[in-house]
Amino acid sequence: RCGLLFAGANTAWSGRSADLPVGVQNGILTAREITLMDLRNADLVVLSACETGAGDITGEGVFGLQRAFKLAGVKTIIMSLWNVSDNVTQAMMYKFYTFWLSGMTKKAAFDQARNELQKIYAQPYYWAGFVMLD
């Protein structure tokens, strides 16, 4: 019940898949399709949209995008657990990538980015929703 929407998804979603050019995918990548991919060489997947860490909770754990990417072999996932403003998300991602590309480890860059956000936004609502899953 979860996935990612890409170009063409609105056409397929509205039931007009036949309108897509021949050989073009429908633009919908489901969690099931992700689990069938070989992403063992993917060091990091960033799902910065709202609630990308959410999923259905069962006796076997949380089923969602994060589980699909882990089953596909991704080493680390950054995601959000709830709705966070676009401005805060942009700041978080900018800071994370700046720190990481400057030579910090992923974990250190993520922690530093969250710490920087915490200085600007004291309330945990703004920064605590971003999590890193190794």
Side-chain angles (χ1 to χ4, degrees):
R1 294 186 342 182
C2 64
L4 301 171
L5 302 179
F6 297 98
N10 56 339
T11 302
W13 198 264
S14 65
R16 299 185 340 258
S17 294
D19 293 346
L20 294 170
V22 175
V24 172
Q25 296 288 322
N26 65 6
I28 302 169
L29 179 62
T30 67
R32 171 85 171 121
E33 291 171 328
I34 294 167
T35 64
L36 300 174
M37 301 170 105
D38 181 2
L39 299 176
R40 289 176 291 175
N41 290 325
D43 186 46
L44 174 68
V45 166
V46 177
L47 303 170
S48 60
C50 295
E51 299 183 61
T52 50
D56 292 334
I57 300 172
T58 71
E60 295 180 27
V62 178
F63 283 87
L65 286 175
Q66 79 288 1
R67 185 175 182 134
F69 278 108
K70 285 309 254 181
L71 287 172
V74 172
K75 292 171 188 63
T76 304
I77 302 170
I78 293 176
M79 58 199 150
S80 70
L81 297 177
W82 55 74
N83 290 331
V84 181
S85 82
D86 290 342
N87 291 337
V88 175
T89 300
Q90 179 184 12
M92 175 65 184
M93 294 303 122
Y94 179 82
K95 290 174 184 301
F96 166 72
Y97 283 111
T98 299
F99 293 135
W100 188 36
L101 295 175
S102 73
M104 288 182 153
T105 65
K106 289 180 297 194
K107 176 76 169 114
F110 180 80
D111 290 344
Q112 186 64 34
R114 276 187 30 164
N115 289 341
E116 294 287 321
L117 279 181
Q118 192 173 2
K119 292 175 189 174
I120 301 167
Y121 305 98
Q123 300 84 3
Y125 169 80
Y126 291 100
W127 49 266
F130 296 106
V131 294
M132 177 182 272
L133 176 65
D134 278 325

